[in-house]
Coordinates of all heavy atoms in Angstrom, one line a residue:
M294 N 167.1 -187.7 155.1 CA 168.4 -188.5 154.8 C 169.5 -187.5 154.8 O 169.4 -186.3 154.4 CB 168.2 -189.1 153.5 CG 169.4 -190.0 153.1 SD 169.2 -191.2 151.8 CE 167.7 -190.6 151.0
G295 N 170.7 -187.9 155.2 CA 171.8 -187.1 155.3 C 172.6 -186.9 154.0 O 172.2 -187.3 153.0
V296 N 173.8 -186.4 154.2 CA 174.6 -186.1 153.0 C 175.8 -187.1 153.2 O 176.2 -187.5 154.3 CB 175.2 -184.7 153.1 CG1 176.1 -184.4 151.9 CG2 174.0 -183.7 153.1
A297 N 176.3 -187.6 152.0 CA 177.4 -188.5 152.1 C 178.7 -187.9 152.3 O 179.4 -187.4 151.3 CB 177.4 -189.3 150.8
T298 N 179.1 -187.7 153.5 CA 180.4 -187.2 153.8 C 181.2 -188.3 154.5 O 180.7 -189.3 155.0 CB 180.4 -186.0 154.7 OG1 179.9 -186.4 156.0 CG2 179.5 -184.9 154.2
D299 N 182.5 -188.1 154.6 CA 183.3 -189.1 155.2 C 183.2 -189.2 156.7 O 183.5 -190.2 157.3 CB 184.8 -188.9 154.9 CG 185.1 -189.3 153.4 OD1 184.4 -190.0 152.9 OD2 186.1 -188.8 152.9
N300 N 182.7 -188.1 157.3 CA 182.7 -188.0 158.8 C 181.4 -188.3 159.4 O 181.3 -188.3 160.7 CB 183.2 -186.6 159.2 CG 184.6 -186.4 158.6 OD1 185.4 -187.3 158.6 ND2 184.8 -185.2 158.2
H301 N 180.3 -188.4 158.7 CA 179.0 -188.6 159.3 C 178.3 -189.7 158.5 O 178.4 -189.9 157.3 CB 178.2 -187.3 159.2 CG 178.8 -186.3 160.1 ND1 179.7 -185.4 159.6 CD2 178.6 -186.0 161.4 CE1 180.1 -184.6 160.6 NE2 179.4 -184.9 161.7
C302 N 177.5 -190.4 159.3 CA 176.7 -191.5 158.7 C 175.6 -190.9 157.8 O 175.0 -190.0 158.0 CB 175.9 -192.2 159.9 SG 174.8 -193.5 159.3
F303 N 175.6 -191.6 156.6 CA 174.6 -191.1 155.6 C 173.2 -191.2 156.0 O 172.4 -190.4 155.6 CB 174.8 -192.1 154.4 CG 173.9 -191.8 153.2 CD1 174.3 -190.7 152.3 CD2 172.8 -192.5 152.9 CE1 173.4 -190.5 151.2 CE2 172.0 -192.3 151.8 CZ 172.3 -191.3 151.0
L304 N 172.9 -192.2 156.9 CA 171.5 -192.4 157.3 C 171.1 -191.5 158.5 O 170.0 -190.9 158.5 CB 171.2 -193.8 157.6 CG 171.3 -194.7 156.3 CD1 171.2 -196.2 156.8 CD2 170.2 -194.4 155.3
C305 N 171.9 -191.5 159.5 CA 171.5 -190.9 160.8 C 172.3 -189.7 161.2 O 172.0 -189.0 162.1 CB 171.5 -191.9 161.9 SG 173.2 -192.4 162.5
G306 N 173.5 -189.5 160.5 CA 174.3 -188.3 160.8 C 175.2 -188.4 161.9 O 176.0 -187.5 162.2
R307 N 175.2 -189.6 162.6 CA 176.2 -189.7 163.7 C 177.6 -189.7 163.2 O 177.8 -190.0 162.0 CB 175.9 -191.0 164.5 CG 174.7 -190.9 165.4 CD 174.4 -192.3 166.0 NE 173.4 -192.3 167.1 CZ 172.1 -192.3 166.8 NH1 171.6 -192.3 165.6 NH2 171.2 -192.2 167.8
N308 N 178.5 -189.4 164.1 CA 179.9 -189.2 163.6 C 180.8 -190.4 163.8 O 182.0 -190.3 163.6 CB 180.5 -187.9 164.3 CG 180.7 -188.1 165.8 OD1 180.5 -189.2 166.3 ND2 181.0 -187.0 166.4
G309 N 180.3 -191.5 164.3 CA 181.1 -192.7 164.4 C 181.9 -192.8 165.7 O 182.6 -193.8 165.9
T310 N 181.7 -192.0 166.6 CA 182.4 -192.1 167.9 C 181.9 -193.3 168.6 O 182.8 -194.1 169.1 CB 182.1 -190.8 168.8 OG1 182.5 -189.7 168.0 CG2 182.9 -190.9 170.1
A311 N 180.6 -193.5 168.7 CA 180.1 -194.7 169.5 C 180.1 -196.0 168.7 O 180.2 -197.0 169.2 CB 178.7 -194.3 170.0
D312 N 179.9 -195.8 167.4 CA 179.7 -196.9 166.5 C 180.5 -196.6 165.2 O 180.0 -195.8 164.4 CB 178.2 -197.1 166.2 CG 177.8 -198.4 165.5 OD1 178.7 -199.2 165.1 OD2 176.6 -198.6 165.2
P313 N 181.7 -197.1 165.1 CA 182.6 -196.7 164.0 C 181.9 -196.8 162.6 O 181.2 -197.7 162.3 CB 183.7 -197.7 164.1 CG 183.7 -198.1 165.5 CD 182.3 -198.2 165.9
L314 N 182.3 -195.8 161.8 CA 181.7 -195.7 160.4 C 182.4 -196.7 159.5 O 183.6 -196.9 159.5 CB 181.8 -194.3 159.9 CG 181.1 -193.2 160.7 CD1 181.5 -191.8 160.1 CD2 179.6 -193.4 160.7
D315 N 181.6 -197.4 158.7 CA 182.0 -198.3 157.6 C 181.7 -197.6 156.2 O 180.9 -196.8 156.1 CB 181.3 -199.6 157.6 CG 181.5 -200.5 158.8 OD1 182.6 -200.3 159.4 OD2 180.7 -201.4 159.0
T316 N 182.4 -198.1 155.2 CA 182.0 -197.8 153.8 C 181.1 -198.8 153.3 O 181.4 -200.0 153.3 CB 183.3 -197.7 153.0 OG1 184.1 -196.6 153.5 CG2 183.0 -197.3 151.5
H317 N 180.0 -198.4 152.8 CA 179.0 -199.3 152.2 C 178.9 -199.0 150.7 O 178.8 -197.8 150.3 CB 177.6 -199.1 152.8 CG 176.5 -199.8 152.1 ND1 176.3 -201.2 152.1 CD2 175.5 -199.3 151.3 CE1 175.3 -201.5 151.4 NE2 174.7 -200.4 150.9
H318 N 178.9 -200.0 149.9 CA 178.8 -199.8 148.4 C 177.3 -199.8 148.0 O 176.6 -200.8 148.4 CB 179.6 -200.9 147.7 CG 181.0 -200.8 147.8 ND1 181.7 -201.1 149.0 CD2 182.0 -200.5 147.0 CE1 183.0 -200.9 148.9 NE2 183.2 -200.5 147.6
A319 N 176.9 -198.8 147.3 CA 175.5 -198.7 146.9 C 175.1 -200.0 146.1 O 174.0 -200.5 146.2 CB 175.3 -197.5 146.1
F320 N 176.0 -200.5 145.3 CA 175.7 -201.6 144.5 C 176.9 -202.7 144.7 O 178.0 -202.4 144.6 CB 175.7 -201.3 143.0 CG 174.7 -200.1 142.7 CD1 175.2 -198.9 142.5 CD2 173.4 -200.4 142.7 CE1 174.3 -197.8 142.2 CE2 172.5 -199.3 142.5 CZ 173.0 -198.0 142.2
G321 N 176.5 -203.9 145.1 CA 177.4 -204.9 145.5 C 177.7 -205.9 144.4 O 177.4 -205.7 143.2
G322 N 178.3 -207.0 144.8 CA 178.5 -208.1 143.9 C 179.4 -207.6 142.7 O 180.4 -207.0 142.9
S323 N 178.9 -208.0 141.5 CA 179.7 -207.7 140.3 C 179.8 -206.2 140.1 O 180.6 -205.7 139.3 CB 179.1 -208.4 139.1 OG 177.8 -207.9 138.9
R324 N 179.0 -205.4 140.7 CA 179.0 -203.9 140.5 C 179.7 -203.2 141.6 O 179.7 -201.9 141.6 CB 177.5 -203.4 140.4 CG 176.8 -204.1 139.2 CD 175.3 -203.9 139.3 NE 174.8 -204.4 140.5 CZ 173.5 -204.1 141.0 NH1 172.7 -203.3 140.3 NH2 173.1 -204.6 142.1
R325 N 180.3 -203.9 142.4 CA 181.1 -203.3 143.5 C 182.2 -202.4 143.0 O 182.4 -201.3 143.5 CB 181.6 -204.4 144.5 CG 182.2 -203.8 145.8 CD 182.7 -205.0 146.6 NE 183.5 -204.6 147.7 CZ 183.1 -204.4 148.9 NH1 181.9 -204.7 149.3 NH2 183.9 -204.0 149.8
K326 N 182.9 -202.9 142.0 CA 184.1 -202.2 141.5 C 183.6 -200.9 140.8 O 184.2 -199.8 140.9 CB 184.8 -203.0 140.4 CG 185.9 -203.8 141.1 CD 186.8 -204.4 140.0 CE 187.9 -205.3 140.7 NZ 188.2 -206.5 139.8
K327 N 182.5 -201.0 140.1 CA 181.9 -199.8 139.5 C 181.5 -198.8 140.6 O 181.6 -197.6 140.4 CB 180.7 -200.1 138.6 CG 181.1 -200.6 137.2 CD 179.9 -200.8 136.3 CE 180.3 -201.4 135.0 NZ 179.2 -201.7 134.2
S328 N 180.9 -199.3 141.7 CA 180.5 -198.4 142.7 C 181.8 -197.6 143.3 O 181.7 -196.4 143.5 CB 179.9 -199.2 143.9 OG 178.7 -199.8 143.5
D329 N 182.9 -198.3 143.4 CA 184.1 -197.7 143.8 C 184.6 -196.6 142.8 O 184.9 -195.5 143.1 CB 185.2 -198.7 143.9 CG 185.3 -199.2 145.4 OD1 185.0 -198.5 146.3 OD2 185.7 -200.4 145.5
K330 N 184.6 -197.1 141.5 CA 185.1 -196.2 140.4 C 184.3 -194.9 140.4 O 184.9 -193.8 140.1 CB 184.9 -197.0 139.1 CG 185.2 -196.2 137.9 CD 185.1 -197.0 136.6 CE 185.2 -196.1 135.4 NZ 184.9 -196.9 134.1
Y331 N 183.0 -194.9 140.6 CA 182.2 -193.7 140.5 C 181.9 -193.1 141.8 O 181.1 -192.1 141.9 CB 180.9 -194.1 139.7 CG 181.1 -194.4 138.3 CD1 180.9 -195.7 137.8 CD2 181.5 -193.4 137.4 CE1 181.1 -196.0 136.5 CE2 181.7 -193.8 136.0 CZ 181.5 -195.0 135.6 OH 181.7 -195.4 134.3
G332 N 182.5 -193.6 142.9 CA 182.2 -192.9 144.2 C 180.8 -193.2 144.7 O 180.3 -192.3 145.4
L333 N 180.3 -194.3 144.4 CA 178.9 -194.6 144.9 C 179.0 -195.4 146.2 O 178.5 -196.5 146.2 CB 178.1 -195.4 143.8 CG 178.1 -194.7 142.4 CD1 177.3 -195.5 141.4 CD2 177.5 -193.3 142.5
T334 N 179.6 -194.8 147.1 CA 179.7 -195.4 148.5 C 179.2 -194.4 149.5 O 179.3 -193.2 149.3 CB 181.2 -195.8 148.8 OG1 182.0 -194.7 148.7 CG2 181.7 -196.9 147.8
V335 N 178.8 -194.9 150.6 CA 178.4 -194.0 151.7 C 179.0 -194.5 153.0 O 179.4 -195.7 153.1 CB 176.8 -194.0 151.9 CG1 176.2 -193.4 150.6 CG2 176.3 -195.4 152.2
R336 N 179.1 -193.7 154.0 CA 179.6 -194.0 155.3 C 178.4 -194.3 156.2 O 177.4 -193.6 156.2 CB 180.4 -192.9 155.9 CG 181.5 -192.5 155.0 CD 182.7 -193.5 155.0 NE 183.5 -193.3 156.2 CZ 184.3 -194.2 156.7 NH1 184.4 -195.4 156.0 NH2 185.0 -194.0 157.8
L337 N 178.4 -195.5 156.9 CA 177.3 -195.9 157.8 C 177.9 -196.4 159.1 O 178.9 -197.0 159.1 CB 176.6 -197.0 157.1 CG 175.9 -196.8 155.8 CD1 175.3 -198.1 155.2 CD2 174.8 -195.8 155.9
C338 N 177.1 -196.1 160.2 CA 177.5 -196.6 161.5 C 177.5 -198.2 161.4 O 176.5 -198.8 160.9 CB 176.4 -196.3 162.5 SG 176.0 -194.6 162.7
H339 N 178.6 -198.8 161.8 CA 178.8 -200.2 161.6 C 177.6 -201.1 162.0 O 177.1 -201.8 161.2 CB 180.1 -200.7 162.2 CG 180.3 -202.2 162.2 ND1 180.6 -202.8 161.0 CD2 180.1 -203.1 163.1 CE1 180.7 -204.1 161.2 NE2 180.4 -204.3 162.5
N340 N 177.3 -201.0 163.3 CA 176.2 -201.8 163.8 C 174.8 -201.3 163.4 O 174.0 -202.1 162.8 CB 176.3 -201.9 165.3 CG 177.5 -202.8 165.8 OD1 177.5 -204.0 165.4 ND2 178.4 -202.2 166.5
R341 N 174.5 -200.1 163.8 CA 173.2 -199.6 163.8 C 172.7 -199.4 162.3 O 171.5 -199.8 162.0 CB 173.2 -198.3 164.5 CG 171.9 -197.5 164.4 CD 172.2 -196.0 165.0 NE 171.1 -195.1 164.6 CZ 170.1 -194.9 165.3 NH1 169.9 -195.5 166.4 NH2 169.2 -194.0 164.8
C342 N 173.5 -198.9 161.5 CA 173.0 -198.5 160.2 C 173.5 -199.3 159.0 O 173.0 -199.3 157.9 CB 173.3 -197.0 159.9 SG 172.6 -195.9 161.1
H343 N 174.6 -200.1 159.2 CA 175.2 -200.8 158.1 C 174.8 -202.3 158.2 O 174.2 -202.8 157.2 CB 176.7 -200.7 158.2 CG 177.4 -201.2 156.9 ND1 178.7 -201.6 156.9 CD2 176.9 -201.5 155.7 CE1 179.0 -202.1 155.7 NE2 178.0 -202.0 155.0
I344 N 175.1 -203.0 159.3 CA 175.0 -204.4 159.2 C 173.9 -205.0 160.0 O 173.2 -206.0 159.6 CB 176.4 -205.1 159.7 CG1 177.6 -204.5 159.0 CG2 176.3 -206.6 159.6 CD1 177.7 -205.0 157.6
F345 N 173.6 -204.5 161.2 CA 172.8 -205.3 162.2 C 171.5 -204.7 162.5 O 170.5 -205.4 162.8 CB 173.6 -205.6 163.5 CG 174.8 -206.4 163.3 CD1 176.1 -205.9 163.5 CD2 174.7 -207.7 162.8 CE1 177.2 -206.7 163.3 CE2 175.8 -208.5 162.6 CZ 177.1 -208.0 162.8
G346 N 171.4 -203.4 162.5 CA 170.1 -202.7 162.9 C 168.9 -203.1 162.0 O 169.1 -203.5 160.9
S347 N 167.7 -203.1 162.5 CA 166.6 -203.5 161.7 C 166.4 -202.6 160.5 O 165.8 -203.0 159.5 CB 165.3 -203.6 162.6 OG 165.1 -202.3 163.1
E348 N 166.8 -201.4 160.6 CA 166.7 -200.5 159.5 C 168.1 -200.4 158.7 O 168.2 -199.5 157.9 CB 166.4 -199.1 160.0 CG 165.2 -199.0 160.9 CD 163.9 -198.6 160.2 OE1 163.8 -197.5 159.7 OE2 163.1 -199.5 160.0
S349 N 169.0 -201.2 159.0 CA 170.3 -201.1 158.4 C 170.3 -201.5 156.9 O 169.5 -202.3 156.5 CB 171.3 -201.9 159.2 OG 171.1 -203.3 159.0
A350 N 171.4 -201.1 156.2 CA 171.4 -201.3 154.8 C 171.5 -202.8 154.4 O 170.9 -203.2 153.4 CB 172.7 -200.6 154.2
H351 N 172.0 -203.6 155.3 CA 172.1 -205.0 155.0 C 171.0 -205.8 155.5 O 170.9 -207.1 155.3 CB 173.5 -205.6 155.5 CG 174.6 -205.2 154.6 ND1 175.1 -205.9 153.5 CD2 175.3 -204.0 154.5 CE1 176.1 -205.2 152.9 NE2 176.2 -204.1 153.5
Q352 N 170.0 -205.2 156.2 CA 168.9 -205.9 156.8 C 167.6 -205.4 156.1 O 166.6 -206.1 156.1 CB 168.7 -205.7 158.3 CG 169.9 -206.1 159.1 CD 170.2 -207.6 159.0 OE1 169.3 -208.4 158.8 NE2 171.4 -208.0 159.2
N353 N 167.6 -204.2 155.6 CA 166.3 -203.6 155.2 C 166.4 -203.1 153.7 O 167.2 -202.3 153.3 CB 166.2 -202.4 156.1 CG 164.8 -201.7 156.0 OD1 164.5 -201.3 154.9 ND2 164.1 -201.7 157.1
A354 N 165.5 -203.7 153.0 CA 165.5 -203.5 151.5 C 165.2 -202.0 151.2 O 165.7 -201.5 150.2 CB 164.5 -204.4 150.8
S355 N 164.3 -201.4 152.0 CA 164.0 -200.0 151.6 C 165.1 -199.1 152.0 O 165.3 -198.0 151.3 CB 162.6 -199.6 152.2 OG 162.8 -199.3 153.6
T356 N 165.9 -199.4 153.0 CA 167.1 -198.6 153.3 C 168.1 -198.8 152.1 O 168.7 -197.8 151.6 CB 167.7 -199.0 154.6 OG1 166.8 -198.8 155.7 CG2 169.0 -198.3 154.9
R357 N 168.3 -200.0 151.7 CA 169.2 -200.3 150.6 C 168.7 -199.5 149.3 O 169.6 -198.9 148.7 CB 169.2 -201.8 150.3 CG 170.4 -202.3 149.8 CD 170.7 -203.8 150.2 NE 169.5 -204.6 149.9 CZ 168.9 -205.4 150.9 NH1 169.4 -205.4 152.1 NH2 167.9 -206.1 150.6
L358 N 167.5 -199.5 149.1 CA 166.9 -198.8 147.9 C 167.2 -197.3 148.0 O 167.6 -196.7 147.0 CB 165.4 -199.1 147.7 CG 164.7 -198.4 146.6 CD1 165.4 -198.8 145.2 CD2 163.3 -198.7 146.5
K359 N 167.0 -196.7 149.2 CA 167.3 -195.3 149.4 C 168.7 -194.9 148.9 O 168.9 -193.9 148.3 CB 167.1 -194.9 150.9 CG 165.9 -194.2 151.2 CD 166.1 -193.6 152.6 CE 165.2 -194.3 153.6 NZ 165.3 -193.8 155.0
I360 N 169.6 -195.8 149.3 CA 171.0 -195.5 149.0 C 171.3 -195.7 147.5 O 172.0 -195.0 146.9 CB 171.9 -196.4 149.9 CG1 171.8 -196.1 151.4 CG2 173.4 -196.3 149.4 CD1 172.4 -197.1 152.3
Q361 N 170.6 -196.7 146.9 CA 170.8 -197.0 145.5 C 170.2 -195.8 144.7 O 170.7 -195.4 143.7 CB 170.1 -198.3 145.1 CG 170.9 -199.5 145.7 CD 170.1 -200.8 145.7 OE1 168.9 -200.8 145.8 NE2 170.8 -201.9 145.6
Q362 N 169.1 -195.3 145.2 CA 168.4 -194.1 144.5 C 169.3 -192.9 144.5 O 169.5 -192.2 143.6 CB 167.1 -193.9 145.0 CG 166.1 -194.9 144.7 CD 164.7 -194.7 145.3 OE1 164.5 -194.1 146.4 NE2 163.7 -195.2 144.6
W363 N 169.9 -192.7 145.7 CA 170.8 -191.6 145.9 C 172.0 -191.7 144.9 O 172.4 -190.8 144.2 CB 171.4 -191.5 147.3 CG 172.6 -190.7 147.5 CD1 172.6 -189.3 147.7 CD2 173.9 -191.1 147.4 NE1 173.9 -188.9 147.7 CE2 174.7 -190.0 147.6 CE3 174.5 -192.4 147.3 CZ2 176.1 -190.1 147.6 CZ3 175.9 -192.4 147.3 CH2 176.7 -191.3 147.5
A364 N 172.5 -193.0 144.8 CA 173.7 -193.2 144.0 C 173.3 -193.1 142.5 O 174.1 -192.5 141.7 CB 174.2 -194.7 144.2
Q365 N 172.1 -193.5 142.1 CA 171.7 -193.4 140.7 C 171.6 -191.9 140.3 O 172.1 -191.5 139.3 CB 170.4 -194.1 140.4 CG 170.0 -194.0 138.9 CD 168.8 -194.8 138.6 OE1 168.3 -195.7 139.4 NE2 168.3 -194.6 137.4
E366 N 171.0 -191.1 141.2 CA 170.8 -189.7 140.9 C 172.2 -189.0 140.8 O 172.4 -188.2 140.0 CB 170.0 -189.0 142.0 CG 168.5 -189.3 141.8 CD 167.6 -188.8 142.9 OE1 168.2 -188.3 143.9 OE2 166.4 -188.9 142.8
K367 N 173.1 -189.4 141.7 CA 174.4 -188.8 141.7 C 175.2 -189.1 140.4 O 175.7 -188.2 139.8 CB 175.2 -189.4 142.9 CG 176.7 -188.9 143.0 CD 177.3 -189.6 144.3 CE 178.8 -189.8 144.1 NZ 179.5 -188.5 144.4
I368 N 175.2 -190.3 140.0 CA 176.0 -190.7 138.8 C 175.3 -190.1 137.6 O 176.0 -189.7 136.7 CB 176.2 -192.2 138.7 CG1 177.4 -192.4 137.8 CG2 175.0 -193.0 138.3 CD1 177.9 -193.8 137.8
M369 N 174.0 -190.1 137.5 CA 173.4 -189.6 136.3 C 173.7 -188.1 136.2 O 173.9 -187.5 135.1 CB 171.9 -189.8 136.3 CG 171.6 -191.3 136.0 SD 169.8 -191.7 136.2 CE 169.1 -190.8 134.8
R370 N 173.7 -187.4 137.4 CA 174.0 -186.0 137.4 C 175.5 -185.7 137.0 O 175.8 -185.0 136.1 CB 173.7 -185.4 138.8 CG 173.8 -183.9 138.9 CD 173.4 -183.4 140.3 NE 174.2 -184.0 141.3 CZ 173.8 -184.8 142.3 NH1 172.5 -185.2 142.3 NH2 174.6 -185.3 143.2
E371 N 176.4 -186.5 137.7 CA 177.8 -186.2 137.5 C 178.3 -186.6 136.1 O 179.2 -186.0 135.6 CB 178.6 -186.9 138.6 CG 178.4 -186.3 139.9 CD 179.2 -187.0 141.0 OE1 179.8 -188.0 140.8 OE2 179.1 -186.5 142.2
Q372 N 177.7 -187.7 135.6 CA 178.2 -188.2 134.3 C 177.3 -187.8 133.1 O 177.6 -188.2 132.0 CB 178.3 -189.8 134.3 CG 179.1 -190.3 135.4 CD 180.6 -190.0 135.3 OE1 181.2 -190.0 134.2 NE2 181.3 -189.8 136.4
S373 N 176.3 -187.1 133.4 CA 175.3 -186.7 132.4 C 174.7 -187.9 131.7 O 174.5 -187.9 130.5 CB 175.9 -185.7 131.4 OG 176.3 -184.5 132.1
W374 N 174.4 -188.9 132.5 CA 173.8 -190.1 131.9 C 172.3 -190.0 131.9 O 171.7 -189.4 132.8 CB 174.1 -191.4 132.7 CG 175.5 -191.9 132.6 CD1 176.6 -191.4 131.9 CD2 176.1 -193.0 133.4 NE1 177.7 -192.1 132.1 CE2 177.4 -193.1 133.0 CE3 175.6 -193.9 134.3 CZ2 178.3 -194.1 133.5 CZ3 176.4 -194.9 134.8 CH2 177.7 -195.0 134.4
D375 N 171.7 -190.6 130.9 CA 170.2 -190.8 131.0 C 169.9 -192.1 131.6 O 170.8 -192.9 131.9 CB 169.5 -190.6 129.6 CG 170.0 -191.6 128.6 OD1 170.7 -192.6 129.0 OD2 169.8 -191.4 127.4
T376 N 168.6 -192.4 131.8 CA 168.2 -193.6 132.5 C 168.7 -194.9 131.8 O 169.2 -195.8 132.4 CB 166.7 -193.7 132.7 OG1 166.3 -192.5 133.4 CG2 166.3 -194.9 133.5
E377 N 168.6 -194.8 130.4 CA 169.1 -196.0 129.6 C 170.5 -196.3 129.8 O 170.9 -197.5 129.9 CB 168.8 -195.7 128.2 CG 167.4 -196.1 127.7 CD 167.2 -196.0 126.2 OE1 168.2 -196.0 125.5 OE2 166.0 -195.8 125.8
R378 N 171.3 -195.3 129.9 CA 172.8 -195.4 130.1 C 173.0 -196.0 131.5 O 173.9 -196.9 131.6 CB 173.5 -194.1 129.9 CG 175.0 -194.1 130.2 CD 175.7 -194.9 129.1 NE 177.0 -195.4 129.5 CZ 178.1 -194.7 129.5 NH1 178.1 -193.5 129.0 NH2 179.3 -195.2 130.0
F379 N 172.3 -195.5 132.4 CA 172.5 -196.1 133.8 C 172.1 -197.6 133.8 O 172.8 -198.4 134.4 CB 171.6 -195.3 134.8 CG 171.8 -195.9 136.2 CD1 172.8 -195.5 137.0 CD2 170.9 -196.9 136.7 CE1 173.0 -196.1 138.3 CE2 171.0 -197.5 137.9 CZ 172.1 -197.1 138.7
I380 N 171.0 -197.9 133.2 CA 170.6 -199.4 133.2 C 171.7 -200.2 132.4 O 172.0 -201.3 132.9 CB 169.2 -199.5 132.5 CG1 168.1 -198.8 133.3 CG2 168.9 -201.0 132.2 CD1 166.8 -198.7 132.7
R381 N 172.2 -199.7 131.4 CA 173.3 -200.4 130.7 C 174.5 -200.7 131.6 O 175.1 -201.8 131.6 CB 173.8 -199.6 129.5 CG 173.8 -200.5 128.2 CD 174.4 -199.7 127.0 NE 173.7 -198.5 126.8 CZ 174.2 -197.3 126.3 NH1 175.5 -197.2 126.1 NH2 173.5 -196.3 126.1
E382 N 174.8 -199.8 132.5 CA 176.0 -200.0 133.4 C 175.6 -200.7 134.6 O 176.4 -201.5 135.1 CB 176.5 -198.6 133.8 CG 177.0 -197.7 132.7 CD 178.4 -198.2 132.2 OE1 179.1 -199.0 132.9 OE2 178.8 -197.8 131.1
F383 N 174.4 -200.5 135.2 CA 174.1 -201.1 136.5 C 172.9 -202.0 136.5 O 172.5 -202.5 137.6 CB 173.9 -199.9 137.5 CG 175.2 -199.3 137.9 CD1 175.7 -198.2 137.2 CD2 175.9 -199.8 139.0 CE1 176.9 -197.6 137.6 CE2 177.1 -199.2 139.4 CZ 177.6 -198.1 138.7
G384 N 172.3 -202.3 135.4 CA 171.4 -203.4 135.2 C 169.9 -203.1 135.4 O 169.1 -203.8 134.9
R385 N 169.6 -202.0 136.1 CA 168.2 -201.7 136.3 C 168.0 -200.2 136.8 O 169.0 -199.6 137.1 CB 167.5 -202.6 137.2 CG 168.1 -202.6 138.6 CD 167.5 -203.7 139.4 NE 166.4 -203.3 140.2 CZ 166.0 -203.8 141.4 NH1 166.6 -204.9 141.9 NH2 165.0 -203.3 142.0
N386 N 166.8 -199.8 136.7 CA 166.4 -198.4 137.1 C 165.9 -198.5 138.5 O 164.9 -199.1 138.8 CB 165.4 -197.8 136.1 CG 165.0 -196.4 136.5 OD1 165.7 -195.7 137.2 ND2 163.8 -196.1 136.1
Y387 N 166.5 -197.7 139.4 CA 166.0 -197.7 140.8 C 165.1 -196.6 141.2 O 164.5 -196.6 142.2 CB 167.3 -197.7 141.8 CG 168.1 -198.9 141.7 CD1 169.1 -199.1 140.8 CD2 167.8 -200.0 142.5 CE1 169.9 -200.2 140.7 CE2 168.6 -201.2 142.5 CZ 169.6 -201.3 141.5 OH 170.3 -202.4 141.4
L388 N 165.1 -195.6 140.3 CA 164.3 -194.4 140.6 C 162.8 -194.7 140.3 O 162.5 -195.4 139.4 CB 164.8 -193.2 139.8 CG 166.3 -192.8 140.1 CD1 166.7 -191.7 139.2 CD2 166.4 -192.5 141.5
G389 N 161.9 -194.1 141.1 CA 160.5 -194.3 140.9 C 160.0 -195.6 141.4 O 158.8 -195.9 141.2
M390 N 160.9 -196.3 142.1 CA 160.4 -197.5 142.8 C 160.1 -197.3 144.2 O 160.7 -196.4 144.8 CB 161.5 -198.6 142.8 CG 161.9 -199.0 141.4 SD 163.4 -200.1 141.4 CE 163.0 -201.3 142.7
E391 N 159.2 -198.0 144.8 CA 158.9 -197.9 146.2 C 159.7 -198.9 147.0 O 159.8 -200.0 146.7 CB 157.4 -198.1 146.5 CG 156.5 -197.0 145.9 CD 156.9 -195.6 146.4 OE1 157.1 -195.5 147.7 OE2 157.0 -194.7 145.6
Ligands
ZN596 ZN1 177.6 -202.7 153.0
ZN597 ZN1 174.1 -194.2 161.3

């Protein structure tokens, strides 16, 4: 898995030349604003990795989970939260799940 930079896809590392990069929120719906607030977003190739590909974040639960786990680890590290605090903010624990 790649690193979340603005210029490369989090999943495959491509730079968006062929398939423009989108911003994907690790947690959507009512938690989308919190995802923004805490920087829990990644860049993904629009077609292949974000919306349409069979392994894309919006088609594939395990891809989605990978991004959620990355986000949970990031925020717990950056905010010095424990797991309980994370669950209070985001509803559940994503780490240690398959
Ligand atoms: Zn998305
Ligand atoms: Zn990609």
